[in-house]
Structures are given as structure tokens and as C-alpha cells.
Amino acid sequence: MNLPNKLTTARVVLIPVFLLALYRGYWLGALIVFALAAVTDALDGHIARSQGLVTDFGKFMDPLADKLLVTAALLAFVELLDVPAWAVFLIIARELAITGLRTLAAGKGVVLAADKWGKIKTVTQMVWICYGLVMGFCVENHLVRGGAGWGMYVVFQAGLVLVLCTTLLSGWNYLWKNRSLFSQMK
């Protein structure tokens, strides 16, 4: 197993560690684990492309690892940070729709690589999740009070709106750019 695939596998292995830290109230530990996992996302693809180490395993597991990591955080945020379940549903629905589109494309011999909107979506989601973990840490440890705590929550909610917009926009972009695949369906 090459280095990029090891990094992708490490990201998947870090998910239960992240969730364990989060549900035990170790917000800072969860942030560190999540950030480390997010960094492996940037590294594995870069290393694979620059060193010619792209594999079928990596093509399959890299996007799946990203989706599992983000979904784990989002589902935890429903419970721990009062993120609306409908918002998480929209994000997960987009991910499933694009995964389905990629599967359809692969069946026709077409590879749908991540485009700039997909990358913007991923970065936006990961930054917002990190912010949520920082906010949880600050609130849990009484580092913010009154207006400052409320201000952090407002920024968190505004971040959620940004995440929803970039997620849905990138999903629409993928579907629109590849609409010809749907007309080829039998």
C-alpha cells in the first residue's frame, strides 16, 4: 500500500477516534484529530498526483473517506451543537446524489474528477466543522460569556448557511455539467 493510500486509510481510522473524543467532551482533542484527518485529505491527493501513485483504491476510498469524516461530524453536531437535521440531510443528500452520478459516469467509462466548486465545498465544510469544534471548546470551558458566546453562535450559523450554499451549488454544478449522462440512461 503506497503512502497516499495509507493516508486515506488513516483518515478513516481517525473517524472513531474523533467521535470518541467529541462525545467524551474533549473538544480540543476532537479538533486536533479532525484537523489531522483533514490535512491527510489534502496530502494524499497531492502526493498521489505528483508522484504518479494514483490507484483505483485511492480513487474509490479518498472521496468516501471525506464523506465519512464530514458526515460523522455533521451528525454529531445535530446532537451536540443543535445543527438542524434538515440541513444535515441536504448536505448528505448532495453527497449521495454526486456519488450516484459518479457511479453512473463510471459505468459509461467517464471519470468525474472533483472540480473547483467541489473543492470549495470541501474546504468550506471542513473549516466550518473546525470552527464548530473551537466554539464547542470555548463554550464548554466557559471561555466566552454573554455577547461573545452569542456572537460565536451567530458566526457558526452564518457558516452553516455558507456550507449549505457551497454544497448545493457544487452539487447543482456537477449535475448540470454532466446532464448528458442522464439522457443516456436506459
Side-chain angles (χ1 to χ4, degrees):
M1 184 177 283
N2 65 31
L3 179 59
N5 290 345
K6 288 178 182 176
L7 290 170
T8 298
T9 302
R11 188 160 62 257
V12 174
V13 170
L14 287 173
I15 294 169
V17 176
F18 163 71
L19 289 172
L20 182 64
L22 189 56
Y23 277 102
R24 295 227 173 203
Y26 302 129
W27 291 90
L28 189 56
L31 172 63
I32 291 167
V33 172
F34 185 87
L36 180 62
V39 166
T40 69
D41 178 35
L43 283 177
D44 62 3
H46 174 73
I47 293 169
R49 285 184 300 277
S50 69
Q51 296 184 8
L53 299 173
V54 175
T55 64
D56 289 339
F57 176 84
K59 288 178 193 175
F60 172 73
M61 281 304 295
D62 180 59
L64 180 60
D66 297 343
K67 287 170 183 39
L68 291 173
L69 178 64
V70 169
T71 299
L74 291 172
L75 292 173
F77 279 11
V78 169
E79 185 177 353
L80 299 174
L81 294 177
D82 295 322
V83 171
W86 64 264
V88 172
F89 170 79
L90 288 175
I91 294 167
I92 292 171
R94 180 266 185 214
E95 299 301 343
L96 292 174
I98 300 309
T99 298
L101 179 66
R102 282 195 167 116
T103 302
L104 177 66
K108 298 185 180 305
V110 177
V111 175
L112 297 183
D115 67 3
K116 82 172 179 178
W117 285 108
K119 292 176 183 181
I120 290 169
K121 179 263 317 175
T122 299
V123 168
T124 304
Q125 287 176 346
M126 291 192 176
V127 168
W128 176 74
I129 290 167
C130 287
Y131 180 83
L133 295 168
V134 168
M135 183 182 77
F137 173 77
C138 289
V139 170
E140 184 82 15
N141 291 287
H142 309 289
L143 298 175
V144 292
R145 300 184 199 290
W150 183 83
M152 284 189 89
Y153 186 74
V154 167
V155 170
F156 181 68
Q157 292 303 314
L160 175 58
V161 170
L162 181 62
V163 164
L164 282 169
C165 289
T166 58
T167 298
L168 297 175
L169 178 63
S170 71
W172 175 256
N173 182 54
Y174 275 112
L175 293 171
W176 182 255
K177 281 183 5 184
N178 297 287
R179 65 191 178 280
S180 63
L181 291 170
F182 295 107
S183 64
Q184 299 170 14
M185 290 175 52
K186 294 180 183 178

